[in-house]
Amino acid sequence: MRTRTIEISVGFFMMLGVLALVFLAFKVSGLTNLVGNHVYYVTADFNNIGGLKVRAPVRMAGVRIGQVTQIDLDHKTYQAKVTMAINNADSNIPDDSSASILTEGILGANYVGVAPGYADKFLHNGSKIDNTHPALVLENLIGQLLFSVNKGSEKKS
Amino acid sequence: MDNSHDHLVKIRNVHFKRGERQIFSGIDMTIPKGKVVAIMGPSGCGKTTMLRLIGAKLKPSQGSIEVDGQNIHRLSRKQLYTARRKIGLLFQSGALFTGMSVFENVAFPLREHTNLSELLIRDLVLMKLQAVGLRGAAGLMPSELSGGMARRVALARAIALDPQLIMYDEPFTGLDPIAMGVIVNLIRRLNDALGLTSIVVSHDVSEVMGIADYIYVLADGKVIGEGTPESIKHTQSPRLEQFIQGLPDGVVPFHYPAKDYAEELLA
Amino acid sequence: MIARMQALGEQGLNFCGTFGRAGLFLLATLLRRPRLIRTFPLLVNELYSVGVLSLIIIIVSGLFIGMVLGLQGYNILVDFAASEKLGTLVALSIVRELGPVVAALLFAGRAGSALTAEIGLMKATEQLDSMEMIGVDPLWRIISPRLWAGFIALPLLTLIFSAVAILGGYLVGVQWLGIDGGSFWSNMQATVHFREDVVNGIIKSLVFGFVVVWIAVFQGFDAVPTSAGISRATTKTVVYSSLAILGLDFVLTAMMMGGW
């Protein structure tokens, strides 16, 4: 009888462990693609990606549709080549959509925002998004602002 | 005692050192089959060490020990574990497995070494427990047993595999007279009934004299006397006499070696 | 001065000797051919005493650590108006560091010391010797199942600890302090990665489990067979395991971050 209780409790323990693993995998780390073939890859060249990092989310209308998988520098054009994995579920993204580097809030992390275009053809594995908007770098913005303010005050005086 | 294949254990010129201390320097013993042989000697003379040498827990630095015709120290690990099934060793404390009941303790060697059915194991265990008079205690845990009972359970466990040789390490120490009588009786009875060979290590002169067929007395790493209880009793050697009769002072001095008494007090 | 250096040298040699003995002991145990049908029930028994009996302390500690993290994290994050990032903070610190390390420390205190004491006591009461005399190899019968049970149990305990701790953070953050539950989970999911965070945590706990059980079992087996010897061995198990866990955690983290 004692061995029976031991066996049952050990089984319970093992199941609890597996359950915890499942919880950590799906609820905590948001793992949705175990095998990894439920995505297709799209690239886009940006003049400036700001603080974008690998694994940053890709969003369309604020909804997460994929993530950044790779960032390289193109040695000919000196642009940043960003590779993104888009979920197969979102396969009907128009060919002429535009991608921009956006920021979550003022101090948040960068992500790639995709705005839909109007073409009938859709993006597929290996396509490239031509229409891109670089990240807004805060320092540059402030610099421009100061510059225009200065100009304005010069005119007045 | 010269018919050589009637001897279960043959110890030839065994030397043993523990660290720097020489424990044995040239021991020769023969244990004949079917007899109860006692190894006696004052505390610390290496009686228990001798049992460990025979059980191959320790290795002699020189000399050989043969058990049932095999040099026990030349066996591979696997062969040694097989050979040990022929040897039962009863530890002073009993050394029962504290996590198991009395029944499981006795069943342990059977479960580990045989593929007997549960029913057969149960019968065998109850038989062994009956032999030591503790069939009724099968369900108890070792912590619920008295010292004497624990030793009897350990005895039942030691005979579970029907060994040829059984060694008792100080079986009489720390027992009340009744339990002592029970153990003395059991050693003799089991030896004769099961055709065992027994080696009893002890310093309890009177009990040993009562049951042993042959006695070896060890001291200072040597055999200082051997013979039947009768001949040992009437020996003339002063060392042996002191040990057998329990005289406080003699060849073995009462005082541990020290500086002169008067000198140390006045210093 | 020379005497001190001599003592130091001797300690160094002693340490090397102990380490060597521990290594040989581990090798000898792992080389014991496991006989599956016979070993399995033993393993289940040991999993019970090593794993199931540690479950309560792991769950309770996990819950409280998660709750404290939630409370502390909230108070800091709320100043930056980033309290919805609490999920990220709790999950990352638990999954990457606190889960494996704290679970291993608790495991060393609960299961490791018990293993050392149990084996040391078996040695002191001659149970190991008598088992050997019965013809059963104690390395196979006693040590090996305990070693494997420990290897298996700690990663499972760590997973449970992490899961419970994150739930504790959720309780405090969402149920008590009123953060939005959806953003709590979605922020967490956006930043915690299975391969980099969860799997690395499991790898850590595998290493910790191995080291803790090795130390515990060896200290028990190597203990001086007296009551003083056993209590010293138990203390040593807890001290050495804790040091090993914290030291190895640094090494492993550095390796994982360095992208080895």
Side-chain angles (χ1 to χ4, degrees), chain A residues 16-31, chain C residues 90-92 94-96 99-100 155-167 185 188-189 192-195 197-199 201-202:
Chain A
L16 212 60
V18 172
L19 224 71
L21 179 65
V22 170
F23 172 77
L24 289 178
F26 294 103
K27 188 74 183 172
V28 174
S29 63
L31 189 78
Chain C
V90 171
L92 280 186
I94 291 287
V95 169
R96 283 187 187 163
L156 288 174
L157 288 171
T158 302
L159 288 171
I160 295 169
F161 180 93
S162 300
V164 171
I166 289 169
L167 287 175
W185 291 118
M188 189 188 291
Q189 286 168 5
V192 180
H193 295 281
F194 186 71
R195 169 66 194 78
D197 300 320
V198 178
V199 173
I202 296 174

Side-chain angles (χ1 to χ4, degrees), chain B residues 52 55 57 77 81 84-85 87 89 91-93 95-98 100 108-109 111-113 157, chain C residues 32-33 35 38 42 121-122 125-141:
Chain B
R52 282 166 184 261
K57 272 291 288 174
R77 201 170 50 107
Y81 276 109
R84 277 183 181 157
R85 294 178 204 175
I87 308 174
L89 174 55
F91 284 86
Q92 195 173 336
S93 60
L96 294 177
F97 304 130
T98 39
M100 305 177 191
F108 180 81
R111 288 199 205 283
E112 292 297 328
H113 288 308
R157 186 179 67 182
Chain C
R32 293 297 190 272
R33 192 163 41 93
R35 283 177 283 171
R38 302 284 296 280
L42 300 177
L121 206 65
M122 282 186 165
T125 54
E126 297 177 311
Q127 291 181 48
L128 295 182
D129 280 345
S130 78
M131 187 170 285
E132 212 172 312
M133 287 308 304
I134 289 171
V136 176
D137 185 353
L139 283 187
W140 173 81
R141 181 63 170 68

Side-chain angles (χ1 to χ4, degrees), chain C residues 210-223:
Chain C
F210 180 80
V211 172
V212 170
V213 186
W214 178 23
I215 291 175
V217 164
F218 175 72
Q219 287 296 343
F221 199 75
D222 202 49

Side-chain angles (χ1 to χ4, degrees), chain A residues 74-113:
Chain A
D74 189 321
H75 289 284
K76 290 202 186 98
T77 61
Y78 301 110
Q79 281 185 313
K81 184 180 171 198
V82 174
T83 311
M84 294 163 275
I86 312 288
N87 298 339
N88 273 354
D90 308 303
S91 60
N92 54 346
I93 299 169
D95 210 347
D96 60 346
S97 298
S98 65
S100 25
I101 310 273
L102 303 172
T103 311
E104 294 173 337
I106 292 183
L107 295 169
N110 288 104
Y111 68 96
V112 179

Side-chain angles (χ1 to χ4, degrees), chain B residues 67-78:
Chain B
V67 177
D68 202 19
Q70 287 175 306
N71 184 334
I72 196 124
H73 297 284
R74 294 249 176 81
L75 300 178
S76 71
R77 201 170 50 107
K78 214 178 148 197

